[in-house]
Amino acid sequence: MSTAIPLAAKVETLTWAGQTAHKLKEEIDRLQQAGSLIVPKEPGGWWHQYVCPHHHTELTFDERFVDASEFLCPHGCVITGDAYRGAWLVFKHQSLARVALQSAAVYAALGDVSYAQISKRLLVEYAEQFPHYPVHPEAQSWMLKGRAFHQALTEAIWSTTLIRAYLLLRDGGITFDAKEQVAIDVFLGLLAGSMEEYRHILIHERNNAENNYTAWLNASLSCVYAARGEQALLEALIEGQGGFIHHLSIGVKADQFEFEGSTYYHVFVLRAYLIAAEMAQRFGIDLYATTGAEGQSMRGMLEALADLADDQGALPALHDGPLERGPYAREIAEIAEQGLAIYGISGLAKVLREAYRQLGAAGNEQLEALLYGGGADRAATSEPRGSRLWPDAGFVIGRIAGNPLSFLADFGEHGGSHGHYDKLHLTLMHQDQTLTPDLGMVPYGSSMRRSWFAETASHNTVSLAGQSQAPHEGRLKHYESTASSVYAWLQSMEGYEGCTMNRHLLLTEDWMLDWFQVELSGDQPQAIEWWMHPVVAVEALQQPLNPEASYQLLVAEKVGDVTTLKEQQLPITSRFVPTEGVAGNEAGELQASYNLTNSDAVIFHSALVQPGDEIVAVQTPGDAVDPNRSLTAMLHRRMDHKADFIHVYRAGSPVQLSQITDHEISITVANVSNEAVRVKMTDKGLQIL
C-alpha cells in the first residue's frame, strides 16, 4: 500500500503543494533571520510543567527566541524558575527538530540545497551534542529517564522527527562527511541502546507491554533501524513481544479504541504506529493493512476518530487529554492527512479542517499537508453518520437523521492513570456546536489536574455529597438503534458504596430524553447531585441567592497510605425557578434555553422538578484551555435515598414535559403537535407507549 507521493512529484502535480512548500520556506527564512536556529546545550525537562501556577493555562512559547528565562502566561503573569525553563527547553528542542524536518521537506519539494544544509546542520549539531546530555538527573522518580529530556518518551518522539529529516535528506542525495557520519552513528547507537533498555523494562520487568510508551519506543527504534538499514532487527521488532503486532493486539481494544479510553492517547499511539509503518515500508514491508489478534488496525482506529468527532470535526477530550492545543492539532493533522491519503476515509476531512482551524491555517498550509497529503479529495463533506457503539472501550454515540441533536456517553473502564471519575458522563451535541463537552485536561504539572478536571463534579454525570466516584467500570444494560430512535441504558454500581445509578438516554427524530435514576441502599439519605456543564449561558428564570452560598467539593488527596478529603468551595450564584407545583405534591417544570455561539440555533431544555428537588447555578472553573474563564454549571440535587432526574432537550422549539405517574411521563412538542408522546420506565428500560 503506497503511503506518499514523492514531494517533488507532488509539487508538480498538486497546485497547493507548491504553494505550501513556498510558505514553509518563508517560515524557515524568518527563523533564520531571527537567529533562533541554535541548538541549546542544555537538555529539556518535562513539558507538562509549562503551565501558570496561578491561572493553570499553558504558558506561551515563541520559537523565534534563542533563549528564555521568563515565561508569559496569557493572563499577564511572568513566571520564572528552573522547572519552567526546563519545560521551555522541551518546546525549543522539539521546534528545532521540526525545523530540521521542514527544511528537508522544502529541499525535497523545491530542490533548494540551502535548505538541505539547514536541516543537515541541525541534525549534525544534535548528534554531536547528544552524548553530552546526561541521563537526566532531575527527572521525576516514576519516569523512564532520557538524555535530551526528563522522559525517554519525549526523547523517542523527538528522535523520530530528527531521523525522518535525516532519511529525507539521504533520499534526496545529501551526503555526510566521515566526521558528520560518525556523530550521526554515535547518536543512533546511544538512542537505540536507551530505547531497547526501556522496552525491556516495560515489557519484561514491569509486564506493561500495552503502555503507550511502548508504541513510541517501537517507533523510535523503527526509525533507527531504517536509518541503519537493519531489516532483520526491524522485522524482529514488528513480530516480537511488545512489537508492532503484539502492541496493536493488547494496546487497542477489539472495537478499535486505545485501551486507556482517552482520545488523546488514541491519537498518540496511532501516530507512533503510522511512523513505524512508514519506516517498515522502506524495506518493502507493508504494515498499513496489518491487524491485531482481534482485528485491530490503523484503519479501524482512524475510522473510530471519524465517527467520534462532532459535526465541526472536533474530537472529544475523553479522559486525560487537551480540549484544544496547537501541538495536539498538528498530531491530529498528521494522522488525518494519512487517513485520507492512504485509506480514503472521507469522514476525516472535517477532523483535518478543524485541526487546521485550531492552527490558524486556511487549509493545506502546514508541514503535515506537504509530507502526507495526497491527491484524494480533502474537502470536508456533510455525509450523515449513524450511531456507533464501542462495547469494549465503553462509549456510545446516538445520532438520528433529521435531528440536529446527538449524544456521546461514557460507561466503560476507568482508564488507569489517565482515567477520570466520570462514569455515565453525557456530552450533548448540536450539529452547530457541542453544548456540554468533556472539559479536557490541563497540563499535568497543574494542581487542577486532580483538584477539578478529573473529578466527578466537572463532568456531566452524578456525584454524591460533594465526593467523586471511585475508579470503576460501568456497563451497558441495553442498546437499540433504529432509523427513528436510539436508546442506551447505562448502569454504574461501584462508583459509591450501596449506590446504583442508571442513565437512560433516548434520542428520537424530535427530541432527546435523559432519565437518570439513582438509588441508595443505606439508611441515611445523601445529597444526590446531577451535573450539567454547558459552554454557553443558560437562559431561564432564576432567583439570586446569598452571595455566600457555595457548593462544597471534597477532593481526595493521598499522601503515602493516608487519604484525606480537602474541601473546595464553588460559588452558588442563583436558584432556577420552575413552574408552580413543586411547593405542593406535584412535580414542576423548569424551562431553559441555550443560544449557540456558532450559529443562530437554540437548544431548549425542560426538566421535571420534584418536591424536595433544587436546581442551582454553580460557578466553576472554565475548560482546560483557560480554567480562569469561569463557566456556570447546572446542579440538580436532592437529599434522599433515591432520585429521578428527568430532562428533555430539543432544537428549535421547546417541549412541554409533565409527569403522569412515578414511572411515566408525557412529552409534547410546542407549536408542532398537540399529541403527547408517553414514555414509561419499566424493568426492561424505557418504552414509548
Side-chain angles (χ1 to χ4, degrees):
M1 183 181 295
S2 176
T3 64
I5 306 169
L7 296 189
K10 190 179 291 187
V11 167
E12 291 178 1
T13 57
L14 300 172
T15 302
W16 64 262
Q19 296 170 343
T20 298
H22 282 286
K23 181 180 182 297
L24 297 174
K25 174 179 175 292
E26 292 167 1
E27 288 179 359
I28 298 166
D29 291 344
R30 287 193 290 270
L31 294 173
Q32 276 274 76
Q33 291 164 8
S36 62
L37 302 184
I38 306 298
V39 172
K41 301 302 182 186
E42 298 171 70
W46 189 40
W47 83 260
H48 280 284
Q49 292 175 306
Y50 205 61
V51 59
C52 178
H54 312 295
H55 296 99
H56 304 278
T57 51
E58 190 170 324
L59 302 174
T60 60
F61 173 78
D62 189 333
E63 62 184 343
R64 294 172 299 176
F65 290 1
V66 177
D67 202 353
S69 57
E70 295 183 339
F71 313 99
L72 302 181
C73 162
H75 292 282
C77 302
V78 178
I79 308 296
T80 60
D82 291 343
Y84 303 102
R85 175 168 168 74
W88 180 88
L89 282 164
V90 173
F91 289 100
K92 185 62 180 177
H93 287 304
Q94 290 174 330
S95 72
L96 289 173
R98 182 177 174 84
V99 170
L101 180 58
Q102 185 165 321
S103 299
V106 168
Y107 163 68
L110 302 178
D112 189 330
V113 177
S114 64
Y115 293 89
Q117 294 304 319
I118 293 172
S119 180
K120 180 178 176 179
R121 177 181 64 80
L122 290 170
L123 286 168
V124 171
E125 287 187 16
Y126 266 123
E128 291 174 341
Q129 179 61 33
F130 192 73
H132 300 291
Y133 293 135
V135 175
H136 218 299
E138 298 175 8
Q140 297 181 35
S141 59
W142 56 268
M143 294 177 177
L144 295 177
K145 299 178 181 181
R147 285 179 176 271
F149 307 92
H150 277 194
Q151 283 190 293
L153 176 62
T154 314
E155 196 151 288
I157 298 167
W158 167 80
S159 71
T160 64
T161 306
L162 286 175
I163 298 173
R164 281 184 289 168
Y166 173 66
L167 290 168
L168 201 52
L169 291 178
R170 281 201 340 199
D171 292 346
I174 299 300
T175 59
F176 295 76
D177 65 29
K179 181 181 178 182
E180 292 167 340
Q181 193 60 54
V182 166
I184 295 284
D185 291 343
V186 169
F187 164 62
L188 293 174
L190 287 171
L191 183 67
S194 295
M195 299 299 112
E196 289 164 352
E197 176 187 355
Y198 290 135
R199 283 188 83 254
H200 180 83
I201 291 171
L202 280 176
I203 297 167
H204 301 288
E205 296 182 17
R206 298 185 182 178
N207 194 29
N208 190 206
E210 71 275 13
N211 197 303
N212 60 64
Y213 263 55
T214 310
W216 276 102
L217 299 178
N218 289 345
S220 179
L221 281 171
S222 296
C223 290
V224 170
Y225 298 154
R228 299 199 303 201
E230 297 171 326
Q231 182 169 345
L233 289 176
L234 181 64
E235 290 175 346
L237 183 65
I238 293 169
E239 300 288 343
Q241 186 176 2
F244 183 92
I245 297 173
H246 185 220
H247 193 273
L248 184 61
S249 300
I250 62 175
V252 180
K253 291 184 177 293
D255 59 13
Q256 309 293 343
F257 214 91
E258 195 266 345
F259 82 100
E260 293 163 293
S262 159
T263 315
Y264 174 76
Y265 286 100
H266 182 96
V267 170
F268 189 67
V269 167
L270 178 53
R271 181 169 173 247
Y273 287 166
L274 286 164
I275 291 171
E278 180 185 340
M279 296 301 111
Q281 191 177 54
R282 288 178 166 271
F283 295 105
I285 301 169
D286 185 0
L287 294 181
Y288 291 98
T290 299
T291 58
E294 298 181 276
Q296 302 96 323
S297 68
M298 290 188 288
R299 173 188 283 275
M301 294 178 74
L302 286 160
E303 289 173 339
L305 292 174
D307 281 342
L308 195 63
D310 68 13
D311 288 324
Q312 288 71 52
L315 296 172
L318 301 171
H319 297 182
D320 271 357
L323 185 64
E324 181 176 323
R325 184 172 179 265
Y328 180 38
R330 287 199 189 106
E331 294 168 4
I332 293 170
E334 182 176 315
I335 65 170
E337 288 282 12
Q338 293 176 82
L340 283 162
I342 300 168
Y343 301 104
I345 302 170
S346 60
L348 289 170
K350 282 187 176 180
V351 176
L352 183 62
R353 183 184 64 182
E354 171 61 16
Y356 286 147
R357 184 201 66 78
Q358 292 181 20
L359 291 166
N364 312 316
E365 299 177 346
Q366 297 289 310
L367 176 59
E368 290 71 23
L370 182 61
L371 287 173
Y372 299 108
D377 183 9
R378 301 160 74 252
T381 61
S382 56
E383 295 179 5
R385 295 175 295 166
S387 300
R388 176 157 179 182
L389 172 66
W390 287 270
D392 304 299
F395 301 114
V396 59
I397 281 184
R399 298 186 181 101
I400 292 293
N403 190 339
L405 298 182
S406 59
F407 70 83
L408 165 62
D410 176 352
F411 63 88
E413 294 179 12
H414 176 68
S417 63
H418 294 299
H420 291 186
Y421 311 109
D422 63 349
K423 290 309 101 182
L424 279 53
H425 164 87
L426 171 69
T427 291
L428 178 63
M429 297 170 282
H430 186 279
Q431 64 185 15
D432 294 334
Q433 184 177 0
T434 295
L435 180 66
T436 62
D438 193 308
L439 300 175
M441 178 52 69
V442 288
Y444 299 163
S446 166
S447 61
M448 289 189 74
R449 181 190 186 191
R450 298 300 183 193
S451 66
W452 176 246
F453 286 100
E455 297 298 306
T456 302
S458 77
H459 294 84
N460 307 309
T461 185
V462 162
S463 60
L464 289 187
Q467 297 189 51
S468 282
Q469 302 169 3
H472 73 291
E473 181 177 357
R475 58 187 59 83
L476 180 70
K477 292 280 290 182
H478 185 74
Y479 171 73
E480 183 177 352
S481 178
T482 69
S484 58
S485 68
V486 182
Y487 173 49
W489 174 2
L490 317 176
Q491 186 179 79
S492 161
M493 299 184 67
E494 299 170 358
Y496 301 95
E497 185 176 356
C499 175
T500 299
M501 300 192 292
N502 289 286
R503 188 164 213 165
H504 301 266
L505 301 169
L506 176 61
L507 180 70
T508 72
E509 296 167 299
D510 273 337
W511 38 257
M512 179 182 154
L513 168 63
D514 173 16
W515 192 327
F516 203 134
Q517 294 184 310
V518 184
E519 187 167 358
L520 310 179
S521 62
D523 296 331
Q524 295 296 321
Q526 294 192 58
I528 305 172
E529 303 159 341
W530 177 98
W531 289 94
M532 176 188 182
H533 296 270
V535 294
V536 299
V538 56
E539 303 291 336
L541 184 60
Q542 299 178 54
Q543 181 183 68
L545 294 178
N546 186 321
E548 296 181 359
S550 65
Y551 171 81
Q552 183 174 277
L553 176 67
L554 300 175
V555 179
E557 289 192 349
K558 188 172 183 179
V559 179
D561 296 328
V562 179
T563 300
T564 58
L565 292 177
K566 182 179 178 180
E567 295 182 6
Q568 291 188 42
Q569 304 299 321
L570 299 176
I572 296 178
T573 57
S574 64
R575 177 182 291 112
F576 291 99
V577 181
T579 57
E580 293 182 2
V582 178
N585 296 319
E586 297 181 358
E589 182 186 16
L590 175 68
Q591 287 282 358
S593 63
Y594 309 89
N595 297 293
L596 302 186
T597 56
N598 292 347
S599 70
D600 295 329
V602 180
I603 298 176
F604 291 89
H605 176 188
S606 181
L608 284 181
V609 186
Q610 305 288 347
D613 284 7
E614 181 183 41
I615 304 183
V616 295
V618 182
Q619 184 177 326
T620 73
D623 61 32
V625 177
D626 188 356
N628 196 61
R629 191 170 55 211
S630 64
L631 294 171
T632 298
M634 179 180 285
L635 171 59
H636 187 171
R637 60 186 178 180
R638 179 179 185 83
M639 178 66 73
D640 206 337
H641 295 92
K642 61 186 301 185
D644 282 69
F645 301 113
I646 303 173
H647 296 251
V648 176
Y649 306 90
R650 189 176 192 276
S653 64
V655 302
Q656 181 181 353
L657 176 62
S658 59
Q659 188 164 26
I660 300 173
T661 70
D662 287 349
H663 304 290
E664 188 175 333
I665 62 172
S666 71
I667 301 170
T668 306
V669 179
N671 303 321
V672 175
S673 171
N674 292 324
E675 184 176 347
V677 176
R678 293 167 58 196
V679 182
K680 186 174 183 178
M681 181 68 72
T682 72
D683 58 359
K684 296 181 179 180
L686 289 180
Q687 291 184 358
I688 297 179
L689 303 178

